[in-house]
Amino acid sequence: MKKIPDGYQNEFLFVLEFNNKKVKELNPLLREVVDDIFYNVNEDSIIKAWRNPCNNEKGDILLKIENKTRFISVKKGSRNSVHLESIISFKDFLKELGVSDKIIYYYELFHYGVNRRDYNQILSSKEFCSKNKRKIKKINQALTKIDIEKIIDRFILQGKISEHRVSGIISGVPNDFMWINSNDIVNSIKSNINRESSTVHISSLYIQPMNRCINGNKKYEWCKEFVQVKWYSLFDDIIMQKNRNLMEKKLHKYHEQEGNTQTLQN
C-alpha cells in the first residue's frame, strides 16, 4: 500500500477540521482563518472544505462559505519549500524582470556548483559561496532591485501557471498552527528585503537547486534542472509580522486617543 506523503496527510486533516462545520463551531485558531478571509460571515453558515486536486497550484486546500471560495496554502515543520520550477523558466522570469545576462550566468554557476578550476568537480552550496563571495554578493544585490511583489506572487501567492491566488498560509498542524494572510505575507517579505546572507536569496526566500546530485545518483539527476525556493524562517516571520501588526494597532489607538484629547481641549 502506497504511503500518503506527510504533507498531504496534514492537508486532509485540515479539510476534516473545516468541512461541514458551522462557523460558530470552529475553535479559535480555525475561526481566525475564516474571519480573516471571509467578511461579515454568518455564524450559522456551513463551511465546505476540500483538498485542491491540482498539485501545481499554490493553494493546497479550498474553503467555501455560501458562494465565496478561498484558496489556502498549508505548510508543516521547518525548511519549508514554497516554490519549484525549471531553471529554464526561472531564467526567463529573471530576464522579464530586467536582471542582466551576467547575473543570470552567475546564478547558473551557483546552481550547478561549477568549479571553474576543475570542471569535473561539483561544489556544494557552502563550497561555492565560500569560493565565490563576490559573485554571490552581485547576485543578491541584483535581486533586491527587482519588483518584489512579482517575486512574492511567483514564489508564494500564485505561482507560474495558476489562475488562483492564495488568501494566506497555515503553518503547522490542526491543533497547533500559525496563520498569516496574503497582505501580511507581502509586508513580511518587504520588511526583510535587506536581510543578509552568504548564499542566494531575496528577503526571507532562499533560492537553490532542488538537488545538485553531487554524488552522481542517477535517480535524482533530473533534480539538477529545477530551482527550489525555501522559506526557512516562515514560522518566526509570521510571529514577527503579528508583532508588527500589534504595535501598529497600539500606535493607531494611541494617536486616536491623542486626537480625541486635543479635540476636547479645543
Side-chain angles (χ1 to χ4, degrees), residues 207-224:
I207 304 168
Q208 59 195 54
M210 188 178 182
N211 192 325
R212 280 191 181 84
C213 206
I214 293 174
N215 61 7
N217 189 330
K218 297 296 182 182
K219 184 178 179 180
Y220 299 104
E221 192 78 19
W222 63 274
C223 297
K224 296 194 298 185

Side-chain angles (χ1 to χ4, degrees), residues 88-247:
I88 295 173
S89 62
F90 179 67
K91 290 192 299 180
D92 289 341
F93 177 57
L94 293 181
K95 286 180 182 179
E96 290 172 12
L97 295 178
V99 177
S100 71
D101 290 339
K102 185 177 182 179
I103 295 299
I104 293 173
Y105 171 65
Y106 284 169
Y107 176 77
E108 282 187 279
L109 295 178
F110 162 77
H111 184 90
Y112 292 110
V114 176
N115 183 355
R116 299 181 72 183
R117 294 182 179 179
D118 180 3
Y119 285 94
N120 292 318
Q121 181 190 19
I122 301 174
L123 299 174
S124 68
S125 176
K126 186 176 180 179
E127 289 171 332
F128 185 93
C129 293
S130 177
K131 294 175 182 292
N132 297 273
K133 293 178 182 179
R134 179 178 168 275
K135 288 184 176 65
I136 297 297
K137 185 176 181 180
K138 290 283 187 183
I139 296 170
N140 287 335
Q141 286 175 337
L143 294 180
T144 59
K145 295 176 182 177
I146 60 183
D147 189 336
I148 190 63
E149 294 206 16
K150 288 185 178 179
I151 289 291
I152 296 168
D153 274 343
R154 178 84 160 206
F155 291 172
I156 304 173
L157 298 181
Q158 189 155 356
K160 188 166 71 78
I161 58 175
S162 175
E163 296 180 6
H164 307 104
R165 203 167 187 261
V166 301
S167 296
I169 295 174
I170 285 174
S171 176
V173 295
N175 64 348
D176 184 17
F177 69 88
M178 297 289 286
W179 159 256
I180 183 169
N181 64 39
S182 58
N183 288 333
D184 282 341
I185 289 171
V186 173
N187 291 333
S188 176
I189 298 298
K190 285 182 175 180
S191 296
N192 294 324
I193 195 64
N194 293 319
R195 181 171 289 182
E196 295 185 1
S197 176
S198 61
T199 190
V200 177
H201 74 293
I202 305 174
S203 181
S204 306
L205 308 175
Y206 288 78
I207 304 168
Q208 59 195 54
M210 188 178 182
N211 192 325
R212 280 191 181 84
C213 206
I214 293 174
N215 61 7
N217 189 330
K218 297 296 182 182
K219 184 178 179 180
Y220 299 104
E221 192 78 19
W222 63 274
C223 297
K224 296 194 298 185
E225 302 304 322
F226 285 83
V227 174
Q228 187 175 43
V229 180
K230 291 205 169 188
W231 191 349
Y232 293 110
S233 58
L234 172 59
F235 197 84
D236 291 338
D237 287 346
I238 292 175
I239 293 173
M240 288 175 64
Q241 186 58 45
K242 286 184 179 294
N243 287 337
R244 277 192 289 266
N245 291 345
L246 186 60
M247 289 301 298

Side-chain angles (χ1 to χ4, degrees), residues 11-52:
E11 292 161 15
F12 282 122
L13 290 176
F14 271 105
V15 166
L16 292 174
E17 288 291 327
F18 281 111
N19 194 40
N20 289 327
K21 302 279 181 61
K22 290 183 178 180
V23 172
K24 65 184 180 183
E25 293 173 341
L26 297 176
N27 68 44
L29 285 174
L30 299 171
R31 182 64 191 264
E32 178 191 359
V33 176
V34 168
D35 285 342
D36 206 13
I37 59 180
F38 293 97
Y39 305 110
N40 298 319
V41 66
N42 189 309
E43 291 281 321
D44 291 310
S45 292
I46 301 293
I47 303 163
K48 292 296 179 182
W50 65 98
R51 187 181 174 275
N52 192 348

Side-chain angles (χ1 to χ4, degrees), residues 55-66:
N55 290 328
N56 59 354
E57 291 192 348
K58 296 298 184 187
D60 297 306
I61 66 172
L62 287 77
L63 301 184
K64 184 175 182 180
I65 299 179
E66 296 172 355

